[in-house]
Amino acid sequence: MLQEKWRQMLFLQEWTKSIFLSMDNTVHKIAQIIKEKGIASHNFGLINGNTGISIFFYHLARRTGNPEYEKIADELLDNVYLNISTSAPSDYENGLAGIGWGIEYLVQNNFAEGNTDEILEDVDNKVFRSLNEEVYSSFELTNGITGYLFYLIIRLKNLTFPISMAKRITRELLIQTINRIDELVTLQFPSIVKDVKFDLFWGFPAMLVGLNEAYKLKAYNEKIVCMIKQWLPYFEAYIPSLHINRLFLAVVLKRLNSEIAEERLEKQIRILLFATDFEILKTEIDFNLTNVRFGWPGVILLLNIASNKLEPDYPNYQLLERTYLEIIDKQREQFEYLHQNLHAVMFNQFGLFNGLSGIGLMELLLPEILTGYSSNNQ
């Protein structure tokens, strides 16, 4: 008995070691390709540009202790600082809201140092003017009001005392932004929930995630609860056309319901999961896209979150892991080819969500999720 337990322990240690060696090889190759081909980009944004790529290199430097990677990340971030201009767009995808989010993330997670009220003063001013002077009808995270909501939230998460004037203004602007979202949802619900493909930035659930994060700040909770209750008939009348998005919306509603306990939301989560056909779901995945936002890695990430956040007694819960393993097996050959031939594959996307650095960051933060998991667990 003891000998068998010892054998299993040794096997687990070797398996874990092999996973991390495979992960390290992949991310080192990704880092080398981005270093050679991807960091000359003139896009300084979070989603597609150097701000997002710097986040990957900072995580890689912390994981490996390699000062070369930290130097690359520092140079990328310095380049972003030097090129921040108030003439740049203010959106979240390629503009100042996303750049500011990335800088605040790095400071809050001790990758960079500085007083973000000072560093982001010009960004704050541009975002504040945009929200006060422009009329936004889009909920999109990339170029609509939800992106600004995410920026305001992460700025308020940086707790400094005494509370600065910038934080007081940000808090008031957050309240205004939530009020504007309430007005727009009531007018536009049929159009904002329209889904045509899988997209981790789909505006409707992204907006709900933003409201959930705002609720945690305790800035405007009575209003947020009132909005969710007001929207319950909309939630109950709506089932996304794509099965992958039914799962996506169920996960987001579960996250929201963990903060704002509402029986009707709980019921809708179960309805969405019951209505999700996992065989059809697999046909909706674009297996040719190896990126986090639109491709199969994003679906893998969603299934991983669903397995961890949803309750085991929910409809079709047992199909989450099975579907995950089937996708991994289907893509194993492609991922192994990518792992072995990274230098031979032509890449023109290096960003955090549409490109290589996003795959690298997934490998760093969730090393078992894309490499070798299923063959050792069947």
Side-chain angles (χ1 to χ4, degrees):
M1 179 68 73
L2 287 175
Q3 187 176 15
E4 176 63 20
K5 286 184 178 180
W6 180 250
R7 189 189 68 80
Q8 291 176 356
M9 184 179 299
L10 287 175
F11 172 80
L12 182 60
Q13 288 175 345
E14 288 301 313
W15 172 62
T16 303
K17 181 180 177 181
S18 70
I19 286 178
F20 280 97
L21 284 173
S22 174
M23 181 275 292
D24 285 342
N25 288 335
T26 301
V27 294
H28 284 307
K29 289 181 180 180
I30 287 174
Q32 188 63 31
I33 291 174
I34 296 174
K35 179 183 174 182
E36 293 173 359
K37 303 178 181 180
I39 61 178
S41 169
H42 295 295
N43 186 324
F44 303 105
L46 173 67
I47 306 303
N48 302 309
N50 287 347
T51 300
I53 295 172
S54 74
I55 291 174
F56 162 65
F57 274 103
Y58 275 120
H59 275 281
L60 182 56
R62 179 173 289 178
R63 167 61 193 272
T64 62
N66 188 333
E68 180 186 355
Y69 292 139
E70 186 171 12
K71 181 181 177 183
I72 294 171
D74 287 341
E75 290 174 353
L76 284 166
L77 193 59
D78 288 344
N79 199 21
V80 170
Y81 284 149
L82 291 172
N83 288 278
I84 288 180
S85 168
T86 53
S87 63
S90 59
D91 64 89
Y92 192 78
E93 182 174 19
N94 298 310
L96 294 176
I99 292 171
W101 188 99
I103 292 171
E104 187 68 77
Y105 171 87
L106 291 171
V107 170
Q108 289 184 27
N109 287 277
N110 300 313
F111 291 110
E113 296 179 351
N115 183 334
T116 52
D117 285 346
E118 296 175 0
I119 296 169
L120 298 176
E121 182 178 2
D122 290 340
V123 176
D124 282 343
N125 290 336
K126 179 65 178 286
V127 169
F128 295 172
R129 284 198 302 272
S130 295
L131 283 169
N132 281 316
E133 297 172 6
E134 298 179 27
V135 177
Y136 289 96
S137 58
S138 169
F139 280 90
E140 295 306 311
L141 178 63
T142 52
N143 59 9
I145 197 167
T146 299
Y148 296 111
L149 178 65
F150 273 65
Y151 175 72
L152 297 172
I153 288 168
I154 199 167
R155 290 287 286 120
L156 288 171
K157 285 183 177 180
N158 190 341
L159 300 176
T160 55
F161 296 97
I163 298 175
S164 66
M165 181 58 67
K167 290 295 193 301
R168 296 179 191 275
I169 294 172
T170 302
R171 190 180 182 89
E172 288 303 312
L173 200 56
L174 177 71
I175 290 172
Q176 292 179 32
T177 302
I178 291 171
N179 284 333
R180 190 175 302 180
I181 287 173
D182 186 24
E183 295 169 4
L184 290 173
V185 168
T186 303
L187 294 173
Q188 299 184 22
F189 191 85
S191 62
I192 66 172
V193 296
K194 188 177 295 183
D195 64 314
V196 294
K197 61 183 177 182
F198 172 72
D199 181 358
L200 277 183
F201 289 179
W202 178 24
F204 177 49
M207 178 266 291
L208 293 176
V209 170
L211 289 178
N212 190 60
E213 292 302 305
Y215 185 88
K216 294 177 183 177
L217 294 174
K218 297 180 170 57
Y220 203 23
N221 285 10
E222 288 185 7
K223 175 65 175 180
I224 293 172
V225 171
C226 182
M227 289 162 62
I228 297 302
K229 289 185 176 181
Q230 177 187 336
W231 297 342
L232 283 172
Y234 298 138
F235 294 148
E236 293 167 336
Y238 174 63
I239 300 288
S241 58
L242 295 179
H243 291 257
I244 184 65
N245 286 339
R246 295 176 187 180
L247 175 63
F248 189 5
L249 186 56
V251 170
V252 171
L253 290 181
K254 174 61 177 177
R255 184 172 177 176
L256 186 64
N257 203 40
S258 296
E259 298 291 333
I260 307 169
E262 171 57 56
E263 186 176 339
R264 290 167 67 182
L265 271 183
E266 178 70 17
K267 182 179 178 181
Q268 188 62 18
I269 294 165
R270 291 179 176 273
I271 289 172
L272 286 167
L273 292 172
F274 182 80
T276 301
D277 186 319
F278 281 78
E279 292 303 314
I280 297 176
L281 181 152
K282 286 180 284 190
T283 70
E284 297 169 344
I285 303 169
D286 190 337
F287 287 102
N288 294 314
L289 289 178
T290 306
N291 66 58
V292 177
R293 181 176 174 185
F294 299 109
W296 65 270
V299 177
I300 289 295
L301 181 61
L302 175 61
L303 289 166
N304 179 268
I305 295 170
S307 295
N308 289 317
K309 298 298 182 183
L310 298 178
E311 304 295 337
D313 67 339
Y314 279 170
N316 290 323
Y317 179 87
Q318 74 281 2
L319 297 177
L320 292 170
E321 183 177 9
R322 184 191 307 174
T323 304
Y324 165 75
L325 294 175
E326 288 176 3
I327 295 171
I328 288 292
D329 283 341
K330 181 179 178 64
Q331 293 306 107
R332 182 181 306 284
E333 185 175 337
Q334 177 182 337
F335 192 78
E336 288 179 354
Y337 176 83
L338 182 70
H339 169 74
Q340 295 169 8
N341 300 278
L342 273 168
H343 281 280
V345 179
M346 295 299 293
F347 289 101
N348 57 12
Q349 295 285 343
F350 302 96
L352 201 56
F353 286 94
N354 293 342
L356 267 183
S357 62
I359 298 299
L361 190 60
M362 273 189 72
E363 282 281 86
L364 285 170
L365 299 181
L366 298 165
E368 83 287 355
I369 202 169
L370 294 174
T371 53
Y373 181 88
S374 62
S375 64
N376 294 289
N377 285 273
Q378 290 184 328

